[in-house]
Amino acid sequence: MPLINNEPAERHTLSLLVDNEPGVLARIVGLFSGRGYNIDSLTVSEVSHDSRRSRITVVTTGAPMIIEQIKSQLDRLVPVHRVVDLTVTGKAVERELALIKVRGKGEIRQEALLIADSFRARTVDTTLESFVFEITGKPEKIDQFVSLLEPLGLVEVSRTGVAAIGRGPDGM
Amino acid sequence: MMREMTGAEMVMQALIDQGVEHMFGYPGGAVLPIYDAMFHQNQVKHVLVRHEQGAVHMAEGYARSSGKAGVVLVTSGPGATNAVTGLTDALLDSIPVVCITGQVPTHLIGSDAFQECDTVGITRPCTKHNYLVRDVNDLARVLHEAFYVAQNGRPGPVVVDIPKDVQFAKGIYVGPENIQHKTYQPKLRGDDEKIRAAVELLAKAKKPVFYTGGGVINSGPEASRLLREFARLSGYPVTSTLMGLGAYPASDKQWLGMLGMHGTYEANMAMHDCDVMLCVGARFDDRITGRLDAFSPGSKKIHIDIDPSSINKNVKVDIPIIGDVKHVLEDMLTTWRGMKAEPDRRAIASWWGEIDRWRARKSLSYAKSPDVIKPQYAIERLYHAVKDKDVYITTEVGQHQMWAAQHFHFEEPNRWMTSGGLGTMGYGLPAAIGAQVAHPESLVIDIAGEASIQMCLQELSTALQFNLPVKIFVLNNEYMGMVRQWQDLLHGGRYSHSYSESLPDFVKLAEAYGGVGIRCSRPGDLDAAIQEMLKSDRPVLFDCIVDQKENCLPMIPSGKPHNEMILPDHPEGLDEAISEEGKIMV
Ligand SMILES: Cc1ncc(C[n+]2csc(CCOP(=O)(O)OP(=O)(O)O)c2C)c(N)n1
Ligand SMILES: [Mg+2]
């Protein structure tokens, strides 16, 4: 498949509006695994209870031809209403939330608090020997925060994955 | 219409309201209420199969020969898993099938109950869409939606899984007139600007080719008519994939024959050397393109397809037109006429001159023999004997399938049914039975191989039970010939497990089922034996003993471009034809 693989891979953030029915997530995940596409991040939640719609944000990487394939393959799934490529439509707002636990005493503890403060992370749980921080931001910011906490007694990280929305007055 | 009834009654009512006349099925615990509801009506006729795979292939044969959706009913667990091959086949060949499966009662789902399987999970990747119906009040809507989804846009199989308690429960039935699908609205008309650009490009072409596929057939007979009209108007050459045979008449002088791995030299060379390619309802499959980076290097490509995901999947095209073939061709013709487009007569004449030189290579020729029946000869004689009859042809998978595509010629769409995408051995006999159900007065022949026919031979019993006089024409070379051919190509002629060992006596086997068995092994006897087969009004199994070592040519070896075909006049070096890179391809 030389035609396809010659082009360098790009990272795209896709927003999907889908029927919130059983199996819809399995359909989407199955499409990615079955056709060998990448999922870098995936978030799902119902956004309209009345019309039972969910919004899915998928971050994927692939050559431009593959990205086009992914979009049209997603679009032809029956419960998928809309597929919008936020990377193409212009700068979108992308945010992720993470909860991060560190353990330590004394100086190390002080250091962790300082770093959390400079990243505007909130402390949501405290014991005498641990903290849980909550941070929201672009994925890269969270990556950076986590790597700084690594030598300071990092215990575990829980991340939501990216939620994204287009800028400006119009909806998807 | 709104009426209270049980879920099982809703199934039958929905089928009736959808205009279903025939269904193919096999009973079991989880569908007994539906079988009971069936018992109380006589509008939908049920064909009892012998294996659920057969039911789906029958539905496919029925759909492909009639243009209507095929309907299947199977039980939970093994009934559903047996249907999976057929569903995958229908998905890859874009055939509209609605398959209703029984399921264990809702309160037992997930408990590993007897004959429980995760039908929607298993069939999710092998259907266009599927449903598990948990509430009887959703059932009628889902059934009508299933027919809509199966038949609209790019057609495909749809599964509706119905737990047994839902079949017993009472609810409100709604008729199809009240159903409007919320989201699934495929685009039928092509973009005007793109159509105009395409017509302009075509009108200026010096070496054009129409590359057509199964999408023309799926779009309906009108699409075939428009294709013929466009070809006549322009004078351009036409080729087709395996799936599209019959959309353009094989007797026409603009017909190049099939293209692809076992296509004609002229079709493949025209594809390779053309300057404008109009792809109509085909999908640049690997059997067609050969080596991708050397595929038709100098052409501008126009691609008409109803499925946007087919566009730019394998080959980048210059003008994509998303829409239904019929609508797009109609608009292209109007635009062509409106522009008073005049093809470049001189260029086109010299293009035909080139094509005629390729034709003169006679890439479908083979060495005749007075002593043994050459498989190509058998197909030729069969074609000769039936060509003026009202005939439908199905095939199994292997060399015989390719020889049938090369040497049996089709004038009309919907007459040729073969497993193109999945390549399912065992497809042909049940598909023939399905076609015979749709066309009881017509002649239906399954062109088979001795290995393939054993995969669904049990359906001969179905043919007998329902008086469906299908003819099975077995090209018996005592080999899985296509496998043997690839072992010649790739593995030094080491025929590992490709010899058809311990074959049954097909004549006696046919008789054991209550059908007719005929054997023929000499070229001189062939015509008379074929006549004997045609005279019978019962199912016939014709055991045609053919040359064991014939290879199917011409051939584009895997990993090679179109202009490096192996031709029958130079078959030597078969074992060196494939490069190291090509070996990993299938
Ligand atoms: C279900 C299935 N299993 C395996 C194959 C691989 N396969 C392709 S052709 C072939 C041999 C077919 O032999 P036969 O039916 O005798 O046809 P011939 O090639 O000899 O004409 C096999 C095993 C297949 N296509 N389908
Ligand atoms: Mg054989």
Side-chain angles (χ1 to χ4, degrees):
Chain A
M1 296 195 287
L3 273 185
I4 292 171
N5 292 343
N6 277 349
E7 297 164 308
E10 298 172 356
R11 178 178 179 279
H12 282 242
T13 304
L14 311 179
S15 222
L16 323 180
L17 208 56
V18 304
D19 282 325
N20 181 17
E21 60 181 33
V24 64
L25 187 59
R27 247 176 249 289
I28 285 161
V29 173
L31 186 128
F32 275 81
S33 65
R35 294 186 181 266
Y37 307 144
N38 302 308
I39 299 182
D40 298 341
S41 156
L42 177 82
T43 61
V44 196
S45 192
E46 192 170 74
V47 287
S48 154
H49 193 63
D50 299 337
S51 56
R52 301 185 44 75
R53 296 281 167 82
S54 289
R55 184 159 171 151
I56 298 181
T57 309
V58 196
V59 181
T60 181
T61 39
M65 227 164 136
I66 295 289
I67 300 282
E68 283 310 309
Q69 260 299 297
I70 293 174
K71 287 189 274 184
S72 37
Q73 291 288 354
L74 286 169
D75 209 15
R76 72 177 184 155
L77 295 177
V78 173
V80 171
H81 294 246
R82 253 169 95 44
V83 179
V84 172
D85 186 340
L86 291 173
T87 308
V88 169
T89 52
K91 283 258 165 275
V93 183
E94 291 188 12
R95 289 293 180 270
E96 187 175 5
L97 183 144
L99 297 170
I100 298 151
K101 186 179 287 179
V102 288
R103 177 185 204 146
K105 287 188 169 157
E107 232 172 79
I108 283 185
R109 209 170 142 76
Q110 279 307 318
E111 190 70 16
L113 268 182
L114 275 173
I115 291 172
D117 198 42
S118 72
F119 274 79
R120 298 208 186 128
R122 296 203 301 141
T123 310
V124 289
D125 180 68
T126 313
T127 70
L128 286 175
E129 50 170 340
S130 72
F131 290 118
V132 173
F133 297 123
E134 176 198 309
I135 178 170
T136 308
K138 292 188 186 152
E140 303 79 52
K141 174 178 160 185
I142 295 173
D143 290 345
Q144 213 188 348
F145 184 53
V146 171
S147 69
L148 287 173
L149 291 177
E150 199 112 32
L152 303 177
L154 181 73
V155 178
E156 60 182 352
V157 182
S158 174
R159 297 172 69 150
T160 58
V162 176
I165 203 158
R167 288 181 193 271
D170 300 326
M172 71 180 277
Chain B
M1 171 191 156
M2 308 255 269
R3 196 144 60 79
E4 194 187 57
M5 56 178 90
T6 68
E9 287 164 347
M10 284 186 196
V11 171
M12 294 316 298
Q13 191 60 50
L15 296 184
I16 292 167
D17 288 349
Q18 289 289 338
V20 174
E21 291 170 66
H22 297 96
M23 64 197 297
F24 305 91
Y26 205 82
V31 282
L32 284 183
I34 300 175
Y35 271 86
D36 194 46
M38 188 190 301
F39 197 77
H40 294 291
Q41 59 84 49
N42 51 18
Q43 276 163 280
V44 185
K45 288 176 201 69
H46 177 269
V47 175
L48 177 68
V49 304
R50 300 298 183 265
H51 185 293
E52 290 85 351
Q53 179 186 352
V56 187
H57 293 326
M58 284 181 208
E60 289 185 271
Y62 185 88
R64 288 176 72 165
S65 65
S66 70
K68 293 166 60 174
V71 179
V72 175
L73 174 61
V74 298
T75 193
S76 65
T81 56
N82 273 351
V84 164
T85 299
L87 293 169
T88 312
D89 193 89
L91 182 71
L92 282 190
D93 283 348
S94 309
I95 309 302
V97 168
V98 173
C99 176
I100 297 164
T101 55
Q103 183 55 277
V104 301
T106 35
H107 71 276
L108 289 182
I109 289 179
S111 71
D112 298 325
F114 179 61
Q115 296 198 324
E116 179 186 1
C117 74
D118 177 7
T119 300
V120 284
I122 290 169
T123 61
R124 199 172 286 129
C126 64
T127 51
K128 181 174 174 188
H129 194 49
N130 63 13
Y131 302 85
L132 168 63
V133 185
R134 287 169 174 276
D135 179 346
V136 70
N137 289 307
D138 290 335
L139 182 57
R141 174 185 58 81
V142 166
L143 286 164
H144 297 310
E145 243 182 59
F147 276 89
Y148 173 82
V149 171
Q151 293 171 289
N152 284 276
R154 179 177 180 173
V158 176
V159 162
V160 182
D161 197 27
I162 314 177
K164 196 169 178 180
D165 54 329
V166 175
Q167 299 171 32
F168 277 122
K170 284 200 164 177
I172 299 296
Y173 176 82
V174 290
E177 59 284 353
N178 304 326
I179 306 296
Q180 235 272 335
H181 201 278
K182 337 185 252 304
T183 53
Y184 188 68
Q185 310 284 357
K187 184 166 171 281
L188 299 180
R189 298 206 82 91
D191 185 275
D192 285 338
E193 251 166 67
K194 295 244 166 68
I195 287 176
R196 169 158 282 273
V199 170
E200 277 168 6
L201 189 61
L202 276 165
K204 284 198 307 241
K206 297 194 183 315
K207 299 170 164 199
V209 68
F210 288 0
Y211 149 46
T212 67
V216 184
I217 314 259
N218 272 340
S219 178
E222 184 62 8
S224 294
R225 198 192 63 68
L226 291 162
L227 170 68
R228 291 160 192 223
E229 196 177 326
F230 201 7
R232 206 171 321 115
L233 202 62
S234 61
Y236 295 171
V238 182
T239 179
S240 160
T241 65
L242 182 71
M243 292 298 293
L245 296 178
Y248 195 79
S251 60
D252 191 85
K253 60 184 195 323
Q254 283 165 252
W255 172 242
L256 303 183
M258 179 175 80
L259 82 161
M261 185 172 270
H262 292 290
T264 65
Y265 186 59
E266 54 271 31
N268 286 326
M269 288 303 287
M271 289 288 283
H272 188 268
D273 282 8
C274 68
D275 67 344
V276 177
M277 177 187 295
L278 175 65
C279 169
V280 192
R283 59 182 173 95
F284 297 94
D285 168 86
D286 54 72
R287 299 291 95 161
I288 297 305
T289 58
R291 202 175 108 194
L292 261 183
D293 59 356
F295 173 69
S296 193
S299 64
K300 291 254 187 248
K301 299 173 186 74
I302 304 160
H303 186 182
I304 306 172
D305 206 299
I306 197 157
D307 178 0
S309 76
S310 285
I311 308 271
N312 293 336
K313 181 166 66 177
N314 303 326
V315 170
K316 240 192 153 72
V317 297
D318 302 278
I319 307 181
I321 304 174
I322 294 163
D324 180 40
V325 169
K326 183 188 83 166
H327 287 90
V328 175
L329 285 183
E330 206 163 35
D331 290 347
M332 284 183 97
L333 274 161
T334 313
T335 310
W336 179 283
R337 292 207 169 95
M339 278 169 39
K340 301 212 183 336
E342 265 307 314
D344 183 340
R345 297 285 165 204
R346 270 191 48 195
I348 300 302
S350 101
W351 177 225
W352 274 111
E354 247 180 284
I355 290 171
D356 285 339
R357 281 191 290 284
W358 293 323
R359 266 184 178 157
R361 293 292 295 270
K362 298 210 176 313
S363 61
L364 296 182
S365 61
Y366 60 93
K368 294 217 169 61
S369 158
D371 315 310
V372 346
I373 302 178
K374 290 285 183 175
Q376 301 95 321
Y377 179 73
I379 306 271
E380 259 176 36
R381 297 317 298 165
L382 179 69
Y383 170 66
H384 190 76
V386 306
K387 68 175 194 297
D388 297 322
K389 296 186 192 294
D390 170 20
V391 61
Y392 293 83
I393 300 290
T394 70
T395 76
E396 307 291 336
V397 171
Q399 290 181 318
H400 63 275
Q401 176 190 30
M402 293 299 122
W403 283 317
Q406 293 172 338
H407 297 278
F408 200 104
H409 308 291
F410 296 90
E411 299 296 309
E412 297 297 331
N414 304 99
R415 297 280 173 165
W416 161 251
M417 284 145 274
T418 193
S419 172
L422 194 62
T424 312
M425 292 169 71
Y427 170 86
L429 174 56
I433 292 174
Q436 188 82 76
V437 168
H439 307 277
E441 304 303 326
S442 309
L443 174 62
V444 183
I445 306 174
D446 169 28
I447 297 177
E450 85 294 335
S452 295
I453 193 60
Q454 294 186 79
M455 287 220 172
C456 283
L457 187 60
Q458 72 284 352
E459 301 306 336
L460 196 46
S461 174
T462 308
L464 263 299
Q465 181 185 346
F466 293 90
N467 291 317
L468 301 164
V470 293
K471 312 295 182 238
I472 308 165
F473 192 75
V474 179
L475 295 184
N476 185 346
N477 53 10
E478 287 188 30
Y479 273 99
M480 297 170 194
M482 193 56 97
V483 173
R484 185 195 51 68
Q485 177 165 344
W486 279 68
Q487 287 172 333
D488 273 333
L489 274 162
L490 291 182
H491 301 288
R494 292 179 295 280
Y495 299 153
S496 181
H497 295 271
S498 56
Y499 182 64
S500 285
E501 198 73 53
S502 303
L503 280 177
D505 179 331
F506 282 114
V507 172
K508 282 192 190 150
L509 191 55
E511 288 165 357
Y513 274 104
V516 177
I518 298 174
R519 179 170 298 119
C520 181
S521 53
R522 292 216 308 270
D525 300 338
L526 187 57
D527 286 347
I530 289 175
Q531 285 310 323
E532 191 189 335
M533 169 178 87
L534 297 177
K535 269 203 237 85
S536 173
D537 56 5
R538 287 196 291 151
V540 179
L541 202 164
F542 190 116
D543 187 15
C544 189
I545 311 295
V546 299
D547 191 347
Q548 298 197 351
K549 292 293 171 67
E550 190 72 11
N551 280 328
C552 185
L553 297 173
M555 178 175 190
I556 305 176
S558 52
K560 287 282 165 87
H562 277 168
N563 58 352
E564 290 182 37
M565 288 196 90
I566 308 172
L567 291 172
D569 47 352
H570 289 287
E572 62 275 354
L574 206 58
D575 50 341
E576 279 144 34
I578 296 189
S579 62
E580 281 304 314
E581 281 167 63
K583 282 187 182 172
I584 57 156
M585 315 278 284
V586 289

